[in-house]
Amino acid sequence: MNPVEKIQADRKEARQLGDTNADICFLALADSDGNASVRTLVLREITENRFTLFINKSSPKWKALISGASLELLIWYSTLQHQYRVSGSMRELDPEIVKSSWQYRPNGSKYLDHVYQELGDQSSTIPSRETLTEKIKHFEAVLDPENMTAPSFVAGVEILADRIEMLDLSMEDRIHDRRVHNFDGTLWTSEILIP
């Protein structure tokens, strides 16, 4: 079984069912000191063994990724009761792909990317929420969303999966189906695990 094709099919079904997790994933990172962190991100594309995410280079997650933090993606489709844990390596996307894809982001997200240049790095502190909303209102007044371009520190990454663990919690007998899939660069192999 190709687990990526299964994830793609599940994602399509989850979207049809209105699953709020259909287009997100959870990125877990552990830095070289063993400090763990997890965050919710939009999962852009799933192709072959690649899972695409957009990240701002001012964010702590970018700094962790480029310093070699170990990572894992968690994909959870609650409507289907299917969970996927995706492990592998990371590589940066071509900046031209990121710039062209950036145009399809919601306007609020585009303005926020511009806010980082003037207000501070992602996750930095600010005096109040109004500081943020006023800065966004400023950009709404001076930048036309149709003609905005991506700031230079918007990036994209691909998680190149070499291991995907699947957990199906929907079994009628309540004995969960758990499998691990390993990719050797050409083929996926699968083994059944005790849940």
Side-chain angles (χ1 to χ4, degrees):
M1 169 205 291
N2 183 325
V4 178
E5 290 175 0
K6 176 76 170 113
I7 294 171
Q8 290 168 324
D10 278 1
R11 186 182 204 192
K12 182 178 180 181
E13 185 176 356
R15 283 173 170 161
Q16 292 169 346
L17 293 170
D19 193 322
T20 56
N21 288 343
D23 292 311
I24 64 169
C25 64
F26 308 94
L27 174 64
L29 298 168
D31 66 21
S32 57
D33 295 325
N35 298 313
S37 62
V38 66
R39 69 260 301 144
T40 306
L41 295 172
V42 175
L43 179 56
R44 299 293 174 178
E45 290 185 330
I46 304 170
T47 55
E48 300 172 14
N49 72 319
R50 299 187 309 271
F51 297 77
T52 304
L53 310 169
F54 285 173
I55 296 174
N56 190 287
K57 289 185 177 182
S58 75
S59 75
K61 61 186 161 289
W62 175 258
K63 293 168 181 132
L65 284 168
I66 63 169
S67 69
S70 54
L71 61 90
E72 186 171 88
L73 286 183
L74 178 77
I75 300 169
W76 167 241
Y77 300 127
S78 60
T79 53
L80 306 175
Q81 295 291 288
H82 291 176
Q83 171 187 280
Y84 298 92
R85 293 172 48 202
V86 180
S87 304
S89 58
M90 182 277 294
R91 91 171 158 209
E92 187 173 356
L93 281 176
D94 179 327
E96 292 306 311
I97 293 172
V98 175
K99 286 178 184 176
S100 63
S101 297
W102 186 85
Q103 300 305 324
Y104 300 104
R105 297 191 76 192
N107 288 341
S109 298
K110 290 180 182 179
Y111 290 124
L112 192 56
D113 280 336
H114 283 277
V115 164
Y116 301 135
Q117 286 181 302
E118 289 192 25
L119 201 55
D121 290 348
Q122 190 176 39
S123 301
S124 59
T125 60
I126 53 176
S128 67
R129 178 159 176 80
E130 288 72 29
T131 303
L132 174 63
T133 57
E134 288 302 316
K135 185 57 76 174
I136 290 174
K137 284 179 188 175
H138 163 75
F139 281 120
E140 288 173 339
V142 299
L143 294 175
D144 173 12
E146 299 301 317
N147 295 314
M148 276 194 288
T149 57
S152 61
F153 49 79
V154 174
V157 297
E158 290 180 323
I159 307 304
L160 306 172
D162 56 25
R163 184 178 200 276
I164 298 176
E165 188 176 304
M166 182 190 85
L167 180 64
D168 182 346
L169 300 170
S170 69
M171 310 305 284
E172 287 185 22
D173 59 9
R174 303 293 296 159
I175 301 172
H176 309 318
D177 184 11
R178 186 175 171 207
R179 298 166 190 252
V180 63
H181 309 275
N182 292 293
F183 188 61
D184 67 5
T186 306
L187 297 171
W188 286 98
T189 57
S190 302
E191 296 177 293
I192 296 173
L193 303 175
I194 298 172

